[in-house]
Amino acid sequence: MLKSVATAVTRFVNEVLFPPCPEVSHEHARLAERVGDPERWEQICAARGLSGLTLGAARAWEYGVVLRFHLLT
């Protein structure tokens, strides 16, 4: 019985508290790579009149791309 409880606790910890990383689509990974390039980021911002945005980080995840940026005034 103790072994089954230990197995259940281990499964809970592994599956609920530390789930596997979600599968990132190729398109999201490609977009995060393009946006993460500092020169490309400057071109994107300049084309849209957003020259005060500086990129902090970009990473892909299962629902899209997470961008962290700072607005310099």
Side-chain angles (χ1 to χ4, degrees), residues 53-72:
L53 286 179
T54 58
L55 184 64
R59 71 177 175 86
W61 72 309
E62 66 179 325
Y63 299 114
V65 178
V66 177
L67 298 175
R68 297 191 187 272
F69 54 88
H70 305 280
L71 178 61
L72 302 176

Side-chain angles (χ1 to χ4, degrees), residues 42-57:
E42 288 178 20
Q43 291 174 355
I44 291 170
C45 291
R48 291 163 177 78
L50 301 171
S51 60
L53 286 179
T54 58
L55 184 64

Side-chain angles (χ1 to χ4, degrees), residues 18-65:
F18 302 103
C21 293
E23 193 68 32
V24 175
S25 74
H26 176 70
E27 182 65 23
H28 291 156
R30 190 173 64 84
L31 181 59
E33 183 179 317
R34 280 191 0 226
V35 173
D37 178 30
E39 291 180 13
R40 179 78 173 145
W41 179 257
E42 288 178 20
Q43 291 174 355
I44 291 170
C45 291
R48 291 163 177 78
L50 301 171
S51 60
L53 286 179
T54 58
L55 184 64
R59 71 177 175 86
W61 72 309
E62 66 179 325
Y63 299 114
V65 178

